[in-house]
Amino acid sequence: MQRSLISLAVMALLGLSAGAPTLVAAAPAAKVTQVTTQLPRTAVPTHYAVSLTPDAANSSFSASVTIALDVKQATSSLTLNAADLKFSAATISAGPGKSQQAASKTDIDADKQTVTFHFADTLKPGSYQLKLDYTGVIGTQASGLFSLDYDNGGAKKRALYTQFENSDARRMIPSWDEPFYKATFALEAIVPAGQMAVSNMPATSTTKLADGRELVRFATTPKMSTYLLFFGLGEFERATAMEQGVELGVITQKGSLGQAQFALDSSRDVLKEYNDYFGVKYPLPKLDNIAAPGRSQFFSAMENWGAIFTFENSILLDPRVATQSDKEVSFLVAAHEMAHQWFGDLVTMAWWDDLWLNEGFASWMESRTTTRLHPEWNWELRAVGTREGAMEQDALATTHPIVQHIATVEQASQAFDNITYSKGESVIRMLENYVGEEGWRAGVRSYIAKHAYGNTVSDDLWREVEKAAHKPVTAIAHDFTLQPGVPLIRVADAVCKDGKTTIQLTQGEFSKDKENKKPLSWRVPVIAQTVGGATVRTVVSGGKASMTLPGCGAVLVNAGQSGYYRTLYTDKAFGALAKGFATMPTIDQLGLLSDSWALGMAGLMPASSFLDLANSAPVDAAPQVWQKIAGVLAGLHDSYEGKPEQRAALDRFARARLAPVFARIGWTAAKDEAAPVANLRDTLIRVLGEVGDESVIAEARRRYAASSTDKSAMPAALRRPILSVIATSADAATWDQMRAAAKAEQSNMIKAQLYDLLGASNDKAQAQRALDLALTDEPGATAGASIISHVAGNHPDLAFDFAISHRDQIDKIVDGASRSRYFPGLGGRSADPAMIGKLQAYAKQYLPADAQGDTKQAIAAIEYRIKVRTKRLPQIDAWLKQHAG
């Protein structure tokens, strides 16, 4: 699953603010543990035959399912997962033609999301078929079977889709809805004639019925987990291409197929890459990517086996508005979800404790594949931003290990976070670098082949990598996956003698909110060099290490930035690196900038250290370096809210540093311009607008005004940054103008973007208007929650208070998996101490104890933000007075 708001990875770069009754090996010492389950261990499903009849107009469906199952222990009842289903019949038999026994009683437990069928006669161990007839609800948010309404050429349309991860298959099929209970699925559906039905496997037959509808039957799936099943229905079009015997497809609403070509071409390239890398060919006959209108606050794409679901704004490229960043996102989504076809679908974690085996690896493969197939994007530099996104959460006391115990559905939903995705990816990158690329790939290939169609825990992977690479990796992997936190490597002053430099390293722990925390212990792979010299490797174990490096000069630790740790230099050592900053490799410039900013804000370095580097960065530094600098300066601008004099000083410095960079690249792209330059232009327009660059604001306004008659005034590459400048400074008249444009827009994707912008105004009065609009029918059923989130970017307290006062309405426009994190996500952007009490009151009143993880993280973030503003900004003020007038 690709998390929603995919730009979080880019923002991090910028610095903006239990299973079947089977035993599995779970530890290298051959310790054996049972897989977690929330269901009785008396029976195991092997096959589901599902017949579905959706009634889209009335938001309901009727269905029947025949489940082939094996009873393992004598029992008089069977308990399955079910949510919002009503049962009309339940019978069981020992097989076709055998006598049937009707359930004597049906108990539904809505809180536990289970249904229990009781039988008068005891079911002895053996094989059975359980047949259930039932009805259910088609929702309006992305959980279970849901509908999305949209405009198509001025006509109102409705399409159906499913979203089952992590625990919502139970909303369409009564089932053993846990990842360890794998089974095969045969799906058939009765649908309106002329509509396209799509599922994981190809349709094997379409039969016209007497009433004009059609019966569509799909081929039986391979053995897989319930959360990977998919069904979609609507007025769709499909583009296809054959690659290595697999039919690849992109499915869109009618009229949008022309926007799918890049995604289809990307799928072909990625499939070839993955077939080679994994050493196991993609096993299904087809792989569709279904692009849907609307959005979710929880995710942007889902890896259903053979039928990837993606919201269209994350994969389609409309030439009227698509930017270089959109192109990158489209490729990333395809690469991420296709990686899941192996890591997650073919081989699935046994329980949600090891969710990172799905998401961390898909994120890592996404980045690796982007670097390989699009070297012109310099994607390897994004590794630093990915690591920063993880460390931002991981350095707070509310963090958790990568491998964490999951007990409930809510906890599983909250596990889809930066620790699972970004820390998982960063740790994998470090471990691959440690054991070597070839050894790592050999281990992954062995892991995939050995566990195909099965379930695993993390140690299954470590065992195969260690065996293939002939290098101990399990102990290091355990240190970074079984305990939380960020190692801190302190570097003592270097000693140079006889052309060699010796350094002493000490391992501590980087914490943002526990200054005197007793550090945990890690075995940390470290790569160091004198700048420009050969690299040397070691593992810091037991808290200390000594390294001897060839050459003399400034010492760089974590050279190449593959390590997951912070590096703290002495003032003298940092000063030497700062002097040579302009000559360092770009990735190490990003690493030094990131460490100096984080360590400065935590009080471990002067808070102004980052500004020293930013002040010395040459105008022609890499675009990614200037994106990082621009992002941090934008974050500082936000931090000075309520302090106009100090903010003005910071803004003067920001303009002085960024305006010459923007002047160098200009408003218009040069011929054959590098992709990172296009992304930098977007960033600089937005940030210079925010810090009050009059020339940028004036030109943005000129182009916006001219665009009504001159389409060339606001080309696709400039459209969003220009609109961002206009939206953030919008007064009532401008807000009205933008709203009118949103209402008139025919494209659902562009319409959603325009409505989001209505929530971006710095003006509190316009922000309130956006909040009020969000709860009306005008923006659409899935757009309102996004508008409120955009308001929270500038007005978190206003947005949170509004959402709480309209909680019942908000719950209807936020998908179920997002609810326990949506409200904390709004308030967590605040710097007002009063918000802490509000969040605590919200959690106490509305959330069970096991669903308060996101609330605690939001509170920790607020407390840290207050700390930064009170303790660190005075140091920034002093630096600005000295260096920026």
Side-chain angles (χ1 to χ4, degrees):
M1 180 185 288
Q2 187 79 43
R3 285 194 63 203
S4 188
L5 304 177
I6 192 169
S7 58
L8 286 176
V10 178
M11 290 175 68
L13 174 69
L14 300 180
L16 301 172
S17 302
T22 306
L23 303 182
V24 296
K31 180 181 177 181
V32 176
T33 182
Q34 279 193 319
V35 176
T36 304
T37 184
Q38 295 173 340
L39 296 171
R41 298 180 181 273
T42 52
V44 179
T46 59
H47 178 73
Y48 296 83
V50 183
S51 181
L52 175 69
T53 304
D55 182 354
N58 293 302
S59 298
S60 63
F61 67 88
S62 59
S64 65
V65 60
T66 300
I67 307 173
L69 58 91
D70 294 329
V71 172
K72 298 295 185 179
Q73 304 170 23
T75 180
S76 59
S77 65
L78 293 173
T79 300
L80 292 72
N81 291 116
D84 296 327
L85 302 179
K86 295 181 179 179
F87 295 90
S88 56
T91 59
I92 195 166
S93 68
K98 300 294 180 68
S99 60
Q100 293 186 342
Q101 179 182 181
S104 58
K105 183 182 179 184
T106 300
D107 288 330
I108 294 176
D109 189 323
D111 292 335
K112 291 183 178 180
Q113 298 185 341
T114 60
V115 58
T116 300
F117 301 103
H118 300 271
F119 300 97
D121 298 333
T122 298
L123 306 176
K124 298 177 181 179
S127 298
Y128 294 84
Q129 289 191 343
L130 175 67
K131 186 176 186 304
L132 307 172
D133 296 326
Y134 59 98
T135 58
V137 176
I138 298 175
T140 59
Q141 303 299 320
S143 58
L145 177 61
F146 66 99
S147 64
L148 289 173
D149 294 341
Y150 62 97
D151 291 324
N152 187 283
K156 297 290 185 181
K157 302 292 181 181
R158 173 169 292 182
L160 302 182
Y161 308 92
T162 58
Q163 169 57 25
F164 290 163
E165 191 178 31
N166 48 280
S167 305
D168 284 318
R170 63 194 65 179
R171 298 185 182 278
M172 193 179 92
I173 305 171
S175 55
W176 280 260
D177 193 18
E178 297 178 359
F180 199 80
Y181 288 102
K182 285 192 168 186
T184 55
F185 294 81
L187 175 65
E188 66 176 31
I190 296 176
V191 302
Q195 293 195 11
M196 181 185 296
V198 58
S199 188
N200 308 74
M201 297 292 284
T204 57
S205 67
T206 300
T207 305
K208 290 190 178 298
L209 303 179
D211 61 5
R213 294 182 297 173
E214 295 177 339
L215 173 63
V216 181
R217 289 192 173 95
F218 297 95
T220 300
T221 72
K223 185 180 177 184
M224 67 182 193
S225 302
T226 50
Y227 76 90
L228 297 171
L229 186 66
F230 178 80
F231 174 74
L233 176 66
E235 296 182 18
F236 301 148
E237 293 181 302
R238 183 171 183 251
T240 62
M242 292 299 297
E243 188 60 53
Q244 298 188 348
V246 177
E247 185 178 77
L248 297 171
V250 179
I251 296 172
T252 72
Q253 58 172 286
K254 285 187 176 180
S256 297
L257 204 58
Q259 302 172 22
Q261 190 61 48
F262 180 75
L264 186 60
D265 292 343
S266 297
S267 296
R268 297 184 68 171
D269 294 339
V270 172
L271 183 70
K272 288 187 288 187
E273 176 70 16
Y274 287 174
N275 276 342
D276 174 65
Y277 186 86
F278 290 118
V280 173
K281 299 292 186 182
Y282 175 76
L284 276 65
K286 66 96 174 175
L287 175 55
D288 281 316
N289 204 316
I290 300 94
R295 62 184 61 191
S296 163
Q297 295 298 296
F298 183 56
F299 75 107
S300 59
M302 174 59 204
E303 66 268 19
N304 313 296
W305 211 0
I308 297 167
F309 172 91
T310 309
F311 286 106
E312 61 185 12
N313 63 315
S314 293
I315 196 165
L316 301 184
L317 298 180
D318 187 329
R320 294 174 295 167
V321 298
T323 64
Q324 171 61 28
S325 178
D326 292 326
K327 191 175 184 179
E328 293 167 359
V329 167
S330 178
F331 185 86
L332 286 170
V333 169
H336 184 100
E337 302 307 331
M338 290 179 69
H340 275 310
Q341 306 300 298
W342 286 265
F343 259 105
D345 298 2
L346 181 61
V347 181
T348 313
M349 78 265 143
W351 181 247
W352 302 107
D353 294 9
D354 285 288
L355 175 63
W356 87 292
L357 281 175
N358 287 13
E359 300 301 347
F361 274 86
S363 298
W364 170 72
M365 282 298 294
E366 149 200 329
S367 296
R368 177 192 179 277
T369 304
T370 305
T371 297
R372 283 180 58 83
L373 298 185
H374 285 286
E376 73 277 11
W377 294 351
N378 301 136
W379 205 259
E380 67 278 2
L381 299 178
R382 301 293 181 109
V384 177
T386 298
R387 185 183 68 197
E388 292 305 298
M391 287 183 175
E392 186 172 338
Q393 178 179 341
D394 206 19
L396 293 170
T398 50
T399 188
H400 62 81
I402 289 176
V403 179
Q404 58 176 323
H405 179 59
I406 301 296
T408 67
V409 168
E410 284 287 3
Q411 286 181 347
S413 296
Q414 295 190 353
F416 291 82
D417 64 3
N418 272 340
I419 301 301
T420 297
Y421 286 75
S422 298
K423 183 176 181 179
E425 175 183 348
S426 299
V427 168
I428 292 166
R429 183 176 294 108
M430 178 177 67
L431 294 175
E432 183 205 27
N433 190 281
Y434 171 69
V435 304
E437 184 178 341
E438 292 304 316
W440 180 265
R441 182 173 67 172
V444 168
R445 284 179 167 182
S446 178
Y447 167 83
I448 292 291
K450 185 174 183 178
H451 297 286
Y453 305 101
N455 298 82
T456 60
V457 293
S458 296
D459 279 338
D460 294 319
L461 176 65
W462 307 142
R463 193 175 298 113
E464 298 307 314
V465 170
E466 204 161 81
K467 190 186 305 179
H470 307 292
K471 196 169 184 178
V473 69
T474 300
I476 296 173
H478 280 181
D479 287 350
F480 282 89
T481 61
L482 300 183
Q483 61 183 4
V486 182
L488 175 68
I489 299 297
R490 296 178 181 268
V491 186
D493 283 329
V495 176
C496 187
K497 184 178 180 181
D498 299 330
K500 296 181 179 179
T501 298
T502 302
I503 56 172
Q504 304 298 324
L505 307 178
T506 305
Q507 181 250 300
E509 182 174 352
F510 172 67
S511 175
K512 292 163 61 174
D513 56 354
K514 297 292 182 182
E515 295 180 4
N516 299 313
K517 182 182 186 297
K518 181 180 178 181
L520 298 172
S521 178
W522 289 266
R523 280 152 282 207
V524 186
V526 169
I527 303 173
Q529 64 180 156
T530 55
V531 175
T535 58
V536 175
R537 296 168 179 260
T538 192
V539 175
V540 178
S541 184
K544 295 181 179 180
S546 177
M547 299 182 76
T548 300
L549 314 174
C552 292
V555 171
L556 177 68
V557 174
N558 204 5
Q561 304 302 310
S562 64
Y564 186 81
Y565 55 87
R566 293 266 180 229
T567 305
L568 177 60
Y569 300 95
T570 63
D571 291 343
K572 178 181 176 182
F574 180 79
L577 286 171
K579 287 180 181 179
F581 181 78
T583 63
M584 293 169 60
T586 301
I587 196 165
D588 291 318
Q589 290 178 328
L590 291 168
L592 194 63
L593 284 166
S594 298
D595 275 342
S596 65
W597 176 246
L599 293 166
M601 291 300 99
L604 296 172
M605 290 179 69
S608 58
S609 298
F610 176 91
L611 296 181
D612 288 329
L613 295 176
N615 204 30
S616 62
V619 173
D620 61 352
Q624 294 86 350
V625 169
W626 280 112
Q627 279 194 280
K628 175 66 180 181
I629 293 171
V632 171
L633 294 177
L636 274 174
H637 172 88
D638 292 341
S639 295
Y640 278 114
E641 182 185 7
K643 297 183 176 182
E645 291 184 13
Q646 294 92 328
R647 174 179 275 186
L650 182 278
D651 288 352
R652 284 195 298 272
F653 173 71
R655 294 193 297 269
R657 285 273 63 205
L658 301 179
V661 181
F662 185 60
R664 183 171 179 267
I665 64 175
W667 283 87
T668 305
K671 185 179 180 181
D672 299 324
E673 179 178 84
V677 175
N679 291 333
L680 176 60
R681 178 180 294 107
D682 184 305
T683 297
L684 289 177
I685 292 171
R686 295 170 190 262
V687 175
L688 283 168
E690 189 69 18
V691 300
D693 186 291
E694 293 181 1
S695 64
V696 167
I697 294 172
E699 179 64 6
R701 287 173 175 167
R702 185 195 71 78
R703 287 174 175 266
Y704 176 67
S707 65
S708 60
T709 56
D710 179 8
K711 300 302 180 184
S712 66
M714 204 160 64
L718 295 179
R719 181 178 178 277
R720 254 176 282 172
I722 288 173
L723 288 177
S724 175
V725 173
I726 301 301
T728 54
S729 59
D731 56 14
T734 304
W735 195 92
D736 286 338
Q737 186 178 2
M738 297 185 72
R739 179 183 179 183
K743 291 175 70 174
E745 177 58 51
Q746 293 296 306
S747 162
N748 297 278
M749 185 161 55
I750 299 175
K751 181 186 287 286
Q753 294 172 1
L754 292 171
Y755 274 113
D756 281 348
L757 286 168
L758 293 176
S761 178
N762 288 324
D763 183 358
K764 191 173 182 179
Q766 310 317 314
Q768 182 61 58
R769 295 178 70 193
L771 293 174
D772 295 336
L773 177 66
L775 295 184
T776 69
D777 293 334
E778 180 184 316
T782 65
S786 182
I787 294 174
I788 297 170
S789 292
H790 278 74
V791 172
N794 291 320
H795 310 279
D797 304 273
L798 179 69
F800 179 84
D801 292 345
F802 177 85
I804 288 296
S805 65
H806 298 83
R807 191 183 64 84
D808 290 342
Q809 291 171 270
I810 299 295
D811 280 348
K812 295 176 182 178
I813 62 172
V814 176
D815 41 300
S818 304
R819 287 172 190 160
S820 66
R821 60 195 341 176
Y822 181 77
F823 292 91
L826 301 176
R829 306 179 198 183
S830 175
D832 185 349
M835 180 57 69
I836 295 172
K838 293 179 183 178
L839 284 167
Q840 290 171 335
Y842 157 75
K844 182 178 180 180
Q845 183 172 0
Y846 298 116
L847 299 179
D850 60 22
Q852 296 183 14
D854 281 79
T855 304
K856 292 175 181 177
Q857 289 176 23
I859 290 171
I862 294 169
E863 291 173 338
Y864 182 67
R865 194 173 295 114
I866 294 169
K867 178 181 176 181
V868 165
R869 295 189 181 190
T870 56
K871 293 188 175 182
R872 311 299 174 224
L873 290 189
Q875 297 179 43
I876 301 293
D877 295 337
W879 189 94
L880 289 170
K881 286 180 181 179
Q882 182 179 354
H883 294 83

